[in-house]
Amino acid sequence: MAVVYRHRVDDDTEFALWKIEEKAADLYKQLQLDEHEKAYFDKISTSKRHLHWLGTRVLLRTMLRTEEYIDCKVDVHGKPYLVNLPYHISFSHSFDYAAVMISKNGTVGIDIELIKEKVERIANKFLQADELAFIDKDEHRIQHLYICWCAKEAIYKCYGQKEVSFVDNIRLTPFNFAEEGTLNARLHKGIVDKNYKVEYLQYEDYMIGYVKGEADETITSHPLTNQNE
């Protein structure tokens, strides 16, 4: 299966979805990997995670339209970045889908989640009482909660630093449920105070949240971690 959905955010930013229907071997053949990546893949090859890892990287290669080796690393905060290409990137995956967002002129974050009832049980772990108060009380409650989760996850990935609390540091401005829309949010922790405009949409039974950071946030060097994702 190739790209099933593609959305251009602006002239320099887009995201796409890949439905993972291939076997791991078929995805693997589409990639060029260095020895470190091959070793990492071998370590995760007994879990479902290996299909997600392959899927995001095949999708990245497709979006960048290149046959050359893509040097994709992960920094100490777990944020993926490209060593030799001028793009900010963000990965996400959930069940049958991989999602990748890229931009030339701003940090990005994307999250995709299969919509399931279980989110109700953990809502107070990522939303404050005043945020829970604006959630739809009726038929769209689960979807509304997933919009909030995806929005906060997308902001977390866009900011790209560890030790950020969804419930304490990322706050959402009240918004009404819609299957597609925009919401405003704020990340506040210590001296960090950033405002974000998050876009979201429902694709089949999945919710997607995505955000682009400030245009003046440039690509910088990243300290390496030993993990690939």
Side-chain angles (χ1 to χ4, degrees):
M1 176 65 72
V3 173
V4 295
Y5 183 83
R6 200 160 188 160
H7 177 75
R8 182 161 292 280
V9 179
D10 59 37
D11 290 343
D12 296 299
T13 310
E14 65 174 329
F15 75 84
L17 304 181
W18 184 287
K19 188 170 185 181
I20 305 172
E21 297 179 328
E22 301 87 350
K23 294 181 180 179
D26 295 326
L27 292 170
Y28 191 91
K29 287 188 295 187
Q30 298 182 53
L31 295 174
Q32 296 171 336
L33 303 176
D34 65 17
E35 293 306 312
H36 176 76
E37 291 167 326
K38 290 176 181 177
Y40 180 79
F41 176 77
D42 289 342
K43 186 171 69 173
I44 64 171
S45 62
T46 57
S47 68
K48 172 73 173 177
R49 189 180 177 192
H50 76 298
L51 284 173
H52 289 148
W53 190 90
L54 291 169
T56 52
R57 281 152 181 80
V58 170
L59 177 53
L60 176 64
R61 174 173 290 278
T62 302
M63 294 175 73
L64 295 178
R65 300 180 181 88
T66 180
E67 297 298 323
E68 301 300 319
Y69 170 69
I70 297 174
D71 194 354
C72 179
K73 296 290 192 293
V74 177
D75 69 16
V76 293
H77 299 283
K79 185 176 178 64
Y81 69 96
L82 301 178
V83 175
N84 297 317
L85 292 172
Y87 290 90
H88 296 275
I89 60 173
S90 181
F91 295 155
S92 186
H93 44 72
S94 181
F95 290 85
D96 295 332
Y97 286 93
V100 172
M101 188 172 182
I102 64 175
S103 179
K104 284 187 174 181
N105 64 2
T107 54
V108 291
I110 189 167
D111 188 50
I112 181 171
E113 301 288 343
L114 178 64
I115 298 169
K116 301 176 74 173
E117 297 287 332
K118 69 177 184 178
V119 72
E120 182 82 73
R121 302 196 301 269
I122 63 168
N124 63 355
K125 295 184 182 299
F126 64 92
L127 293 175
Q128 293 272 7
D130 60 329
E131 294 173 312
L132 286 167
F134 67 72
I135 299 297
D136 194 292
K137 301 297 189 294
D138 300 312
E139 60 177 319
H140 299 302
R141 182 171 179 80
I142 300 302
Q143 293 159 286
H144 207 169
L145 287 170
Y146 266 104
I147 294 169
C148 295
W149 171 268
C150 289
K152 292 196 175 190
E153 181 71 27
I155 289 170
Y156 175 79
K157 291 180 177 181
C158 187
Y159 176 57
Q161 303 286 320
K162 288 183 177 178
E163 299 178 357
V164 171
S165 166
F166 281 21
V167 69
D168 294 323
N169 301 132
I170 305 176
R171 305 299 304 277
L172 306 180
T173 300
F175 67 100
N176 295 323
F177 170 80
E179 290 189 355
E180 182 173 354
T182 303
L183 64 90
N184 294 311
R186 178 189 181 201
L187 188 156
H188 184 227
K189 182 184 179 185
I191 63 172
V192 176
D193 195 350
K194 291 177 172 286
N195 293 313
Y196 292 92
K197 180 174 288 187
V198 184
E199 297 180 77
Y200 64 88
L201 60 90
Q202 184 170 340
Y203 179 83
E204 297 180 347
D205 295 327
Y206 291 77
M207 192 64 69
I208 302 167
Y210 57 100
V211 63
K212 179 179 176 181
E214 298 171 3
D216 61 354
E217 293 186 83
T218 57
I219 299 173
T220 58
S221 60
H222 303 257
L224 291 178
T225 181
N226 290 325
Q227 296 182 345
N228 259 102
E229 187 174 338

